[in-house]
Amino acid sequence: MVEQLRGVSLDQKLLKRFGLPLAVLLVAFFYPKYADSLQGLPAIGDFVPSVNSVVIMIVFTMMAVGLNIVVGYAGLLDLGYVAFYAAGAYMAAWFASQQFDQWTFHFGSVGISKDLPGIHLSIWLVLLMAGLFTMVVGILIGLPTLRLRGDYLAIVTLGFGEIVPQVVRNGDNVFGFDLTHGTFGISPIDSPGFGSVGDSLGLPLSYQQSFDRAQWFYWTALALLLITVFCSVRLRDSRLGRAWVAIREDETAAAAMGVPLMRTKTWSYALGAFFGGVAGAFYSSFRSGAFPADFYFNISVFLLCMVILGGMGSVWGALLGGMILGYLNVEGLATIGSKANEVGINFDPTKYQFGIYGVIIVLMMLFRPSGLITERRHKQELEEGTADTPLYDVTHEGSDTDRDPSND
Amino acid sequence: MADSRLTRSLDGLRKSGVTALFGYALLAMVAVWLIGNFAKDPKEFIQVGLIGLTNGLIFGLVALGYTLVYGILQLINFAHGDVFALSGLVASTMIVSWLGLDKDASVVAILGGMLLTLVVIMAVFAFVNVTIEFVAYRRLRAAPRLAALITAVGMSFIVQNVSLAMYDVNYRSVPSFIPRSEAFAVAGISYSWNKLAVVVITLPVLALLTWFVTSTKQGKAMRAVAQDTEASAMMGIDVNRTISVTFAIAGALAGSAAIVYLLQFNMRYDTGFELGLIAFTAAVLGGIGNLSGAVLGALVIGFIQAFNEGLTWYTPGSDWTRSIVFGILIAILVFRPEGLLGERTPEGA
């Protein structure tokens, strides 16, 4: 009978744990199919984002999950995440466009003629390379700065977050070499695709040339986001993740318990950078261009706002915050603005969007610092309590755990 | 300590003096660059240097605001630069629209108007700064530092957007009622009136601040709270009021800095962000928490910025000013975190 009881509770546990995420995943997977019909609805139809907009929202959410690793897990305030975003984007620009037309090298490129000048690698490979390159950038940035106290770390990361966009803008003449093509940016950038092999299987040869371009980009973005979330959850529950939490809660105690501070902090930077780089590379491939106008300091704060709104340290919080604020940024505020204009209120929310994000940050910090979805550990600590039933219930005679002294 | 081999080797490198050597090599390169430019055209060099001096004084006023608040709360008040911008915009409205000062105004009107603007703006923005502290930072005094820092970033954006809402994206300036013509010239190097006005306004403000911090009871309270908040509270110092006074002074300094900034340049809602970062770098360069250090650091940064934008021999140019300033910040925090005039503590600053 006990085994039967155990069997029931196991199913319920599984259902609770995987049911909701699976349902959300299914709804998300089929979004391109019913997005159009949703947009046709009477009142709320205008608020439904297009598939292209959702791709951008997912890119931002990916970066929010990445930033959550640095800010949420390890407690290091990183105000320069846009540097990783830009690094990933330009990495894709360097290895999948005609930027370096001094050489002609193709490897797995799809949808373009093989004599096109420039380095053209398969986007799947470029995504990985961008992640690794950005990881190296993160480690390099982290080496001199992670020794510093929290506030200095914030300023220095802010500095890097400012230097990288400026380098990108002025990088058209680095000792005579055109690295980033200056303010014009690098475009066009190749798009992902499955080549002739995929073509025979019914998959698109190249996303750019496929009829359902937005849909394929959307599914790829979803897949990347799932991988990011998976990695983030596994990291959280790993030894490294616990080391991060230890550092976040009390650095001195963590060091006293043998947690190697510099190495652990550098890992958090590197992994956060990795996901930022992949997101940046995917984004530039989606937009078919890497433009300096897309990379500016305010984005770092925007991502921070996502993590804070959703819940610092909570993956689901970062997802929630990312989707909400991503939606507001891409379509939401503009739609609200036009609706307000229709009613006669002459107010343009997109102009003041960073003020809105600032208000969100301040309000959350003052009134609900743990965010909308509290991180699991904080929840246990502050709300549920970690004390479970005592081993011996000595308050009630005849209870299950009431021990007969003769059994001692 | 379970440090990695990399950390140990980096620390070893540091102790062995190799990084110090690298730092000195960097300084030597800068010295060579400066000497080269001086040799090329001494008059130009000194002319540009005077511009740097003037700008440095402006940066100094803003840097003092940062360093005062950091000294007492260990908080980088990101919103300070944006308060500076807002005060400048309001000051421009006051000078142009309410007082109507322009080129044809009499000397008495100009002097009176400037003095009035200075007093009013300093008072108003002292109050604004105190309000910001009361609303955003007071509740978080017991919270982890990360929370206060994040709130400061959010506050910075809020203030910036208030400026945006009030003044839109336009640049605002004041008419050149203080002429940009030559005030005096020494050996062919001229110094214009509006730059002289900057010096005339800034030096008394600095003197007033120094007197306040060193000679008054409130100033002593500020220094005590900066040193040890709990002990000060035990000695009967009203910590809340002292912190409010500090923010008030910082706000007043920002206001005065904005007015002298307007005499030279024009302003926009986002001017405060970049200037704030330059000023914060200056404060760190001089030793955060140290008042004379802030002014010294600001002068150095002023010189570097002016030289970068004015000289011509192997000069990166104004495109790279921001990167250079941040490079300096990073270099300082890596090589000498206590700054030029600070004291080294175990945590590194």
Side-chain angles (χ1 to χ4, degrees), chain A residues 71 75-77 79 139 143-145 147-156 158-160 162-163 166-167 169-171 173-174 255-256 258-263 297-298 301 304 308 312 351-362 365-367 369, chain B residues 1-4 6-7 10-11 14 70 74-76 78 135-137 139-140 145-151 153-155 157-158 160-161 164-165 168-169 273 277 280 284 288 318-324 326-327 329-330 333-334 337 344-345 347-349:
Chain A
V71 176
L76 306 167
L77 185 55
L79 290 176
I139 295 177
L143 274 180
T145 60
R147 285 180 300 135
L148 302 170
R149 268 204 314 243
D151 11 18
Y152 287 162
L153 179 68
I155 281 277
V156 171
L158 196 159
F160 277 114
E162 276 284 322
I163 289 180
Q166 198 172 47
V167 164
R169 258 194 303 272
N170 299 331
N173 195 346
V174 181
V259 171
L261 282 183
M262 271 298 286
R263 201 180 339 175
F297 164 68
N298 291 3
V301 178
L304 186 69
I308 288 172
M312 273 195 288
K351 195 161 137 192
Y352 304 110
Q353 63 174 314
F354 286 103
I356 295 174
Y357 303 145
V359 169
I360 292 178
I361 290 179
V362 174
M365 277 288 121
L366 286 178
F367 300 115
Chain B
M1 275 270 248
D3 273 338
S4 69
L6 185 61
T7 318
L10 279 178
D11 273 340
R14 208 144 160 264
Y70 192 90
Q74 279 79 53
L75 168 72
I76 301 174
F78 282 103
V135 165
Y137 304 142
R139 265 182 84 129
L140 298 171
R145 294 248 291 276
L146 198 69
L149 207 55
I150 295 174
T151 313
V153 175
M155 209 64 223
F157 275 92
I158 294 177
Q160 212 179 81
N161 274 258
L164 181 62
D168 215 58
V169 296
F273 177 68
L277 287 165
F280 182 73
V284 172
I288 196 95
S318 56
D319 278 340
W320 294 98
T321 301
R322 255 195 212 186
S323 299
I324 292 178
F326 284 122
L329 178 66
I330 294 165
L333 288 175
V334 170
R344 193 160 192 111
T345 61
E347 295 100 13

Side-chain angles (χ1 to χ4, degrees), chain B residues 69-123:
Chain B
V69 169
Y70 192 90
I72 211 165
L73 271 187
Q74 279 79 53
L75 168 72
I76 301 174
N77 185 10
F78 282 103
H80 189 67
D82 300 289
V83 168
F84 160 82
L86 183 61
S87 62
L89 292 169
V90 172
S92 76
T93 309
M94 191 169 163
I95 291 178
V96 171
S97 314
W98 300 346
L99 293 177
L101 290 176
D102 60 19
K103 282 205 179 83
D104 306 317
S106 66
V107 176
V108 173
I110 291 177
L111 282 177
M114 286 300 290
L115 197 62
L116 183 66
T117 315
L118 205 64
V119 168
V120 167
I121 294 289
M122 279 171 82

Side-chain angles (χ1 to χ4, degrees), chain A residues 84-97 99-100 119 121 123 125-134 137 168 179-180 186 189 277-278 280-282 284 290 295:
Chain A
F84 302 143
Y85 183 39
Y90 273 87
M91 190 66 179
W94 290 333
F95 288 102
S97 75
Q99 171 63 12
F100 293 141
I119 308 178
L121 304 178
I123 287 287
L125 185 62
V126 166
L127 283 178
L128 189 63
M129 282 168 58
L132 291 172
F133 170 69
T134 317
V137 170
V168 150
L179 198 62
T180 64
I186 298 178
I189 296 183
V278 173
F282 177 76
S284 66
F295 309 111

Side-chain angles (χ1 to χ4, degrees), chain A residues 181-247:
Chain A
H181 208 47
T183 44
F184 298 107
I186 298 178
S187 74
I189 296 183
D190 309 335
S191 85
F194 298 103
S196 35
V197 172
D199 206 19
S200 48
L201 292 171
L203 298 166
L205 194 155
S206 155
Y207 285 15
Q208 198 64 33
Q209 298 162 357
S210 130
F211 181 65
D212 306 311
R213 177 183 185 270
Q215 178 183 278
W216 284 104
F217 268 115
Y218 172 79
W219 281 333
T220 314
L222 206 58
L224 285 174
L225 180 63
L226 279 172
I227 296 174
T228 310
V229 168
F230 176 74
C231 291
S232 188
V233 169
R234 296 292 287 176
L235 279 169
R236 177 192 71 193
D237 296 335
S238 73
R239 196 168 163 196
L240 187 59
R242 285 197 292 273
W244 285 333
V245 173
I247 291 181

Side-chain angles (χ1 to χ4, degrees), chain B:
Chain B
M1 275 270 248
D3 273 338
S4 69
R5 257 209 308 264
L6 185 61
T7 318
R8 270 202 299 268
S9 51
L10 279 178
D11 273 340
L13 212 64
R14 208 144 160 264
K15 287 184 197 120
S16 76
V18 171
T19 43
L21 214 65
F22 191 67
Y24 288 132
L26 220 62
L27 283 175
M29 261 169 51
V30 171
V32 164
W33 173 65
L34 285 175
I35 293 174
N37 271 294
F38 182 74
K40 186 165 174 258
D41 191 344
K43 263 203 206 138
E44 181 77 20
F45 188 84
I46 299 182
Q47 191 77 52
V48 171
L50 283 175
I51 297 178
L53 179 72
T54 319
N55 290 349
L57 284 175
I58 304 177
F59 296 155
L61 285 177
V62 186
L64 278 170
Y66 277 106
T67 217
L68 277 170
V69 169
Y70 192 90
I72 211 165
L73 271 187
Q74 279 79 53
L75 168 72
I76 301 174
N77 185 10
F78 282 103
H80 189 67
D82 300 289
V83 168
F84 160 82
L86 183 61
S87 62
L89 292 169
V90 172
S92 76
T93 309
M94 191 169 163
I95 291 178
V96 171
S97 314
W98 300 346
L99 293 177
L101 290 176
D102 60 19
K103 282 205 179 83
D104 306 317
S106 66
V107 176
V108 173
I110 291 177
L111 282 177
M114 286 300 290
L115 197 62
L116 183 66
T117 315
L118 205 64
V119 168
V120 167
I121 294 289
M122 279 171 82
V124 167
F125 282 91
F127 178 70
V128 166
N129 222 23
V130 169
T131 315
I132 291 178
E133 189 266 331
F134 185 74
V135 165
Y137 304 142
R138 185 160 289 199
R139 265 182 84 129
L140 298 171
R141 223 176 276 162
R145 294 248 291 276
L146 198 69
L149 207 55
I150 295 174
T151 313
V153 175
M155 209 64 223
S156 158
F157 275 92
I158 294 177
V159 174
Q160 212 179 81
N161 274 258
V162 168
S163 303
L164 181 62
M166 284 169 68
Y167 289 92
D168 215 58
V169 296
N170 306 313
Y171 279 99
R172 302 271 312 190
S173 64
V174 294
S176 331
F177 51 84
I178 298 184
R180 288 156 199 263
S181 58
E182 200 181 272
F184 60 85
V186 175
I189 300 162
S190 70
Y191 200 57
S192 56
W193 277 111
N194 61 339
K195 292 208 198 8
L196 191 63
V198 171
V199 178
V200 163
I201 295 178
T202 311
L203 290 183
V205 170
L206 287 176
L208 197 66
L209 178 72
T210 317
W211 166 79
F212 185 85
V213 172
T214 48
S215 309
T216 63
K217 201 162 160 205
Q218 193 61 251
K220 215 176 275 188
M222 274 166 59
R223 282 182 287 141
V225 175
Q227 208 169 49
D228 191 329
T229 314
E230 279 162 9
S232 311
M234 281 192 267
M235 290 290 122
I237 295 176
D238 185 344
V239 173
N240 277 340
R241 201 180 66 176
T242 310
I243 293 180
S244 294
V245 167
T246 312
F247 269 84
I249 294 177
L253 285 171
S256 61
I259 291 174
V260 291
Y261 188 85
L262 275 175
L263 291 177
Q264 297 239 68
F265 313 105
N266 51 11
M267 278 181 113
R268 206 166 78 136
Y269 72 100
D270 59 358
T271 311
F273 177 68
E274 175 158 358
L275 203 98
L277 287 165
I278 294 179
F280 182 73
T281 308
V284 172
L285 176 59
I288 196 95
N290 187 317
L291 296 184
S292 31
V295 177
L296 178 66
L299 285 172
V300 170
I301 300 270
F303 282 128
I304 292 177
Q305 189 206 32
F307 288 143
N308 182 45
E309 297 186 357
L311 298 176
T312 46
W313 185 69
Y314 282 113
T315 311
S318 56
D319 278 340
W320 294 98
T321 301
R322 255 195 212 186
S323 299
I324 292 178
V325 170
F326 284 122
I328 293 175
L329 178 66
I330 294 165
I332 282 282
L333 288 175
V334 170
F335 293 118
R336 201 185 154 94
E338 71 272 21
L340 293 171
L341 297 182
E343 296 162 356
R344 193 160 192 111
T345 61
E347 295 100 13

